[in-house]
Amino acid sequence: MTKIAPSVLSADFTKLKDEIDTLEGAEWLHYDVMDGHFVPNISFGYGILSQLRKITDKFIDVHLMITDPLFYCDEFIKAGADLVNFHLESQDSVEHTKALLAYIRKQGVKNGLTIKPGTDVEALKPFLDDVDLILVMSVEPGFGGQSFNPKAVEKIKAIKDMRGDRNFVIEVDGGINAETGKQCVEAGADVLVAGSYVFKAKDRKAAIASLL
Ligand code: DX5
Ligand code: ZN
C-alpha cells in the first residue's frame, strides 16, 4: 500500500495544527530541513520539529538537506523524528555513510539515504543492506514547487530491481502530483512525498486520495 508524506514545507505555518488536521489519508509527514549550505535555502530545524511532534501522531520522516547530518541528527531524534534521512552527497566516504546509517538505527529510529537527481543509483549499492529507506529526488533539493524530472522513474525501477528480497522502502520527492505519482508507484515507489500538490489543493483529502 502506497504511503503519502505531505511535505510541511508547503504548509501555512500561521495555522500549522489546522493544516495538519486536513491531511486525512496521509500516514506520514515529510519534514524538509535546509541549512543554507548544502542547499541554497533555509527552512526550519529541530525546535520547530519538537512543536510539530506535539500536534501529530503521524510518522515524521525528516529529510536532512544539510552538510553535517552526523553533527545534528541527535537533535532531530530528540525532537521526535521517526525516520532520519540524509544525503549520500553529504558524506565523504562509504565508511562514514555506513557509520551514520548504523548510528541512526542505534538510536531507535529508522534511517534513510537520499540521492540527488545527478547521482547514479550505482552509488547506492554498498548500502542496500544498511538502509530502511532510499529517497530518490525528482527535483534538485532546495525548493518546493519545482517540476518533476522523469529520470526519477527509471531510477526507482533500478532500485526496485536492486532491492531483491530486502525490506527497505523506496520514496520519491519533488514535483509529485496525481500523474507523476502514478508513474512512480508503477515503477516501484512505496512512499510519495507531495508538498505543493497537497497544500495548494482546496480539498486536501481528495488530493491525497488521488495519489493513492
Ligand atoms: C525539495 C524538498 C521537497 C519539497 C517537495 O527540496 O525536498 O520535499 O517540499 O515539494 P513539491 O511537492 O512541491 O515539489
Ligand atoms: Zn524532501
Side-chain angles (χ1 to χ4, degrees), residues 9-30:
L9 188 64
S10 296
D12 180 344
F13 272 74
T14 63
K15 45 174 186 171
L16 189 56
K17 170 116 176 59
D18 294 344
E19 290 281 83
I20 302 303
D21 286 344
T22 65
L23 303 175
E24 202 181 314
E27 290 176 42
W28 285 29
L29 283 179
H30 184 81

Side-chain angles (χ1 to χ4, degrees), residues 139-177:
V139 299
E140 280 304 326
F143 300 91
Q146 305 180 71
S147 5
F148 180 79
N149 181 338
K151 279 188 191 148
V153 175
E154 295 313 310
K155 284 182 161 182
I156 292 166
K157 278 188 196 149
I159 295 166
K160 193 187 174 189
D161 287 346
M162 279 159 44
R163 177 166 59 183
D165 56 9
R166 296 177 183 89
N167 284 324
F168 64 78
V169 300
I170 303 171
E171 180 179 48
V172 59
D173 182 8
I176 295 296
N177 55 37

Side-chain angles (χ1 to χ4, degrees), residues 89 115-121 123 137 139-141 149 151 155:
E89 302 86 0
I115 52 167
K116 288 188 193 182
T119 301
D120 199 279
V121 295
M137 291 303 298
V139 299
E140 280 304 326
N149 181 338
K151 279 188 191 148
K155 284 182 161 182

Side-chain angles (χ1 to χ4, degrees), residues 4 21-26 197-198 201-212:
I4 310 303
D21 286 344
T22 65
L23 303 175
E24 202 181 314
Y197 179 69
V198 167
K202 279 214 178 76
D203 184 345
R204 272 94 187 259
K205 192 179 164 189
I208 290 164
S210 76
L211 294 169
L212 284 165

Side-chain angles (χ1 to χ4, degrees), residues 79-198:
D82 293 299
L83 183 149
V84 174
N85 108 54
F86 63 94
H87 273 260
L88 179 59
E89 302 86 0
S90 69
Q91 300 301 297
D92 59 6
S93 70
V94 167
E95 198 188 2
H96 287 156
T97 310
K98 281 193 177 236
L100 183 50
L101 288 167
Y103 181 80
I104 293 168
R105 271 188 179 168
K106 215 173 145 204
Q107 310 315 306
V109 299
K110 305 272 188 203
N111 70 27
L113 194 57
T114 306
I115 52 167
K116 288 188 193 182
T119 301
D120 199 279
V121 295
E122 289 294 309
L124 293 166
K125 280 202 167 146
F127 313 108
L128 299 178
D129 290 323
D130 309 308
V131 288
D132 298 311
L133 174 144
I134 288 177
L135 170 55
V136 176
M137 291 303 298
S138 37
V139 299
E140 280 304 326
F143 300 91
Q146 305 180 71
S147 5
F148 180 79
N149 181 338
K151 279 188 191 148
V153 175
E154 295 313 310
K155 284 182 161 182
I156 292 166
K157 278 188 196 149
I159 295 166
K160 193 187 174 189
D161 287 346
M162 279 159 44
R163 177 166 59 183
D165 56 9
R166 296 177 183 89
N167 284 324
F168 64 78
V169 300
I170 303 171
E171 180 179 48
V172 59
D173 182 8
I176 295 296
N177 55 37
E179 190 191 328
T180 57
K182 189 164 184 274
Q183 294 166 22
C184 293
V185 170
E186 278 169 9
D190 307 293
V191 185
L192 301 176
V193 175
S196 39
Y197 179 69
V198 167

